[in-house]
Amino acid sequence: MTKILTEVQRKILQFIIDFRDEKGWPPSLSEIAEEFGYKNRSTVREHLQALEKKGLIQRDEKVARGIDLRLDDHMFVTRPIIGEAAAGSPVTIYPGAIDTVDLPNMIKIPKESFLLKVKGQSLKDAYIFNGDVIIVNPNVEPVNGQIVAAVLDEGAVVKRYFKKGKVIELVSENPEFVPITVDESYRHFHIVGVVVGIYRSMEAKSNRYS
Amino acid sequence: MTKILTEVQRKILQFIIDFRDEKGWPPSLSEIAEEFGYKNRSTVREHLQALEKKGLIQRDEKVARGIDLRLDDHMFVTRPIIGEAAAGSPVTIYPGAIDTVDLPNMIKIPKESFLLKVKGQSLKDAYIFNGDVIIVNPNVEPVNGQIVAAVLDEGAVVKRYFKKGKVIELVSENPEFVPITVDESYRHFHIVGVVVGIYRSMEAKSNRYS
DNA sequence: CAAAATACCATACATTTGTATGGCTAATGT
DNA sequence: ACATTAGCCATACAAATGTATGGTATTTTG
């Protein structure tokens, strides 16, 4: 089962992955040939046939750029969680991804967004629960009414954002909670990003009460 | 900024997304033409130029299948919602899709699954709220512990599924609620499908208290 | 209303792309 | 010693692919 790749095959596979990542479509035989200095496409084709035989790619030979990656599904399905959101402590961003989520083959993360796993019941006033994954886009300006993840003196919050003149108000989804008003008296205030959505995996193993 | 797509453009974009998802590489102009019954590739090319002008794709015209998706900036893809889930009334499946959700393009709905929009607060014992979208897969056998959407005499429920011998128990996420035991006394009992996940859009417009 | 955009078509053309065949060398295993 | 495999080449060929140009009809927009 463990088919070992030769050095050349490994490099070609890596090139296909990178190419596809960057351009959005797989390389043609010519492009692979050029990358590796081959004067001939047949050479490339033989390497691709080897890769297909070993199950790493699937080809439609009759079709231009008909190279499909068949890497372990984990590559695509398991995404790193780069931090945790919880009240009382700042949003923790791990230096390297520590935890991962298994998202049932349905979630792909755009480059600029990242995932935060919700820890504890601290965000339940926003109807977000332990184990939920929130999708945060750090590169957009929050619009009034959007939910943002923010860090301030007393910790991290996930609340609706309203800017009124110089003052920013952070309102909970749950009307029982009093809004936070951010003004000059705050020394630390930083918008982590806009919460674009939440995803909750419905796996039996998940435990929402821990 | 909000460039609106025409119906044709939207459909073509969706086809490109699905094609790429399924095959692993983008479609050629011919393949798009064939899909939509066009007798001509120039027609397709014009649509692609429109999509590129609106920033949704990026093309390398000189290259076969040179279509790159640029959905990151336009995070949302509109998908049809085919029904509603609410307690008290059976799960309603619209004959044709009526409503739509804007899902982040990162959420890829498996072909066999469908979306139900949650209406009212009736499912809040499962921590699912008004306006949430649940992703239901009807073609898999529920495993003990999974959350299912089911219809029974008293209406539709979304609860955890446990089969013990001949008896099926439907347990709420919230321990305060008493489990439902399904036995011979039930005349109607039908599993709609397994809830694979939920997605909640964090749009300002959404109103969770209606 | 006139201009622009949308949405199609036909035909022609140049490249790109992948395939097929055959041959050559070096390393490896039996 | 001999077969096998990996790795590379040249040449020829057919099909797929994208482009260019010019046309028609309808709808939308300023």
Side-chain angles (χ1 to χ4, degrees):
Chain A
M1 192 62 213
T2 317
K3 303 275 179 76
I4 294 174
L5 300 185
T6 68
E7 191 57 20
V8 182
Q9 289 163 6
R10 214 187 52 73
K11 279 182 180 167
I12 288 182
L13 179 63
Q14 192 58 53
F15 175 69
I16 295 171
I17 296 171
D18 293 341
F19 189 102
R20 207 173 153 287
D21 245 27
E22 188 196 319
K23 303 259 193 173
W25 54 83
S28 68
L29 300 208
S30 327
E31 285 158 345
I32 300 176
E34 196 183 358
E35 168 74 15
F36 291 92
Y38 297 140
K39 301 211 174 84
N40 196 293
R41 283 163 295 181
S42 295
T43 303
V44 175
R45 190 177 168 227
E46 287 158 15
H47 287 309
L48 293 188
Q49 284 173 334
L51 282 172
E52 185 167 24
K53 210 169 204 167
K54 295 179 181 178
L56 286 151
I57 61 174
Q58 184 137 349
R59 260 167 53 77
D60 185 339
E61 293 212 309
K62 292 295 179 190
V63 143
R65 301 168 194 276
I67 306 174
D68 188 18
L69 294 172
R70 283 298 155 89
L71 306 177
D72 268 353
D73 278 39
H74 308 303
M75 291 277 292
F76 302 109
V77 172
T78 306
R79 300 299 310 215
I81 294 184
I82 68 156
E84 286 171 352
S89 59
V91 170
T92 314
I93 307 288
Y94 304 129
I98 288 180
D99 202 3
T100 57
V101 234
D102 288 332
L103 300 166
N105 206 12
M106 46 196 327
I107 291 200
K108 287 181 198 160
I109 305 302
K111 288 182 192 89
E112 74 263 20
S113 293
F114 58 86
L115 304 177
L116 295 178
K117 196 170 200 168
V118 175
K119 199 176 186 183
Q121 298 298 316
S122 50
L123 300 174
K124 72 179 171 209
D125 57 307
Y127 300 122
I128 299 172
F129 300 93
N130 187 38
D132 286 0
V133 175
I134 62 179
I135 303 152
V136 181
N137 189 335
N139 291 336
V140 292
E141 201 64 26
V143 175
N144 270 357
Q146 276 185 330
I147 293 192
V148 298
V151 182
L152 19 81
D153 293 347
E154 58 262 45
V157 293
V158 173
K159 288 182 187 298
R160 268 194 206 286
Y161 169 98
F162 290 98
K163 186 169 189 175
K164 295 167 183 170
K166 280 195 167 181
V167 180
I168 290 170
E169 214 171 44
L170 298 174
V171 184
S172 170
E173 281 281 88
N174 188 331
E176 291 171 25
F177 287 75
V178 184
I180 298 175
T181 306
V182 180
D183 51 25
E184 287 80 5
S185 69
Y186 274 82
R187 298 193 312 171
H188 299 105
F189 174 69
H190 174 233
I191 301 255
V192 177
V194 174
V195 176
V196 213
I198 81 165
Y199 174 74
R200 182 180 308 154
S201 171
M202 291 305 192
E203 294 299 303
K205 61 180 182 228
S206 76
N207 182 1
R208 221 160 294 294
Y209 312 109
S210 64
Chain B
M1 191 62 219
T2 315
K3 300 278 180 72
I4 294 175
L5 299 185
T6 68
E7 191 57 21
V8 182
Q9 289 163 6
R10 211 188 57 74
K11 279 182 180 167
I12 289 182
L13 179 63
Q14 193 58 54
F15 175 70
I16 296 171
I17 295 172
D18 293 341
F19 189 103
R20 207 174 153 286
D21 260 15
E22 189 195 319
K23 303 259 191 174
W25 53 84
S28 67
L29 300 208
S30 328
E31 285 158 345
I32 299 175
E34 196 183 359
E35 168 74 15
F36 291 93
Y38 297 139
K39 303 211 173 87
N40 196 296
R41 282 163 294 179
S42 295
T43 303
V44 176
R45 190 177 168 227
E46 287 158 16
H47 288 309
L48 294 189
Q49 284 173 334
L51 282 172
E52 186 167 24
K53 211 170 205 167
K54 294 180 181 177
L56 286 150
I57 61 174
Q58 184 137 348
R59 254 162 66 70
D60 185 339
E61 292 213 310
K62 292 294 178 191
V63 143
R65 299 165 195 279
I67 306 175
D68 188 19
L69 294 171
R70 283 298 154 88
L71 302 176
D72 290 2
D73 319 317
H74 308 252
M75 291 259 300
F76 295 99
V77 170
T78 304
R79 306 293 307 226
I81 296 183
I82 68 154
E84 286 173 353
S89 59
V91 171
T92 315
I93 307 288
Y94 303 131
I98 287 179
D99 203 3
T100 57
V101 234
D102 289 335
L103 285 183
N105 74 57
M106 66 183 79
I107 296 198
K108 174 181 148 200
I109 306 300
K111 285 230 165 54
E112 72 266 20
S113 295
F114 56 86
L115 305 177
L116 295 178
K117 195 169 203 168
V118 174
K119 201 176 185 181
Q121 297 299 316
S122 50
L123 300 173
K124 70 180 171 207
D125 56 306
Y127 300 122
I128 298 172
F129 299 93
N130 187 37
D132 286 1
V133 175
I134 61 179
I135 302 153
V136 180
N137 189 337
N139 290 337
V140 294
E141 201 64 27
V143 175
N144 271 357
Q146 276 185 331
I147 293 192
V148 297
V151 181
L152 17 82
D153 292 347
E154 58 262 46
V157 294
V158 174
K159 288 181 186 298
R160 271 195 205 285
Y161 170 97
F162 290 99
K163 185 171 190 173
K164 295 167 182 170
K166 281 194 168 181
V167 181
I168 290 169
E169 216 173 42
L170 298 175
V171 185
S172 170
E173 281 281 90
N174 188 332
E176 292 172 24
F177 287 75
V178 184
I180 297 175
T181 306
V182 181
D183 52 25
E184 288 79 5
S185 69
Y186 274 83
R187 298 193 310 169
H188 299 105
F189 173 69
H190 173 234
I191 301 255
V192 178
V194 174
V195 176
V196 210
I198 82 165
Y199 173 73
R200 183 179 309 153
S201 170
M202 291 304 191
E203 293 299 300
K205 59 181 184 229
S206 77
N207 180 3
R208 220 160 296 293
Y209 311 108
S210 62

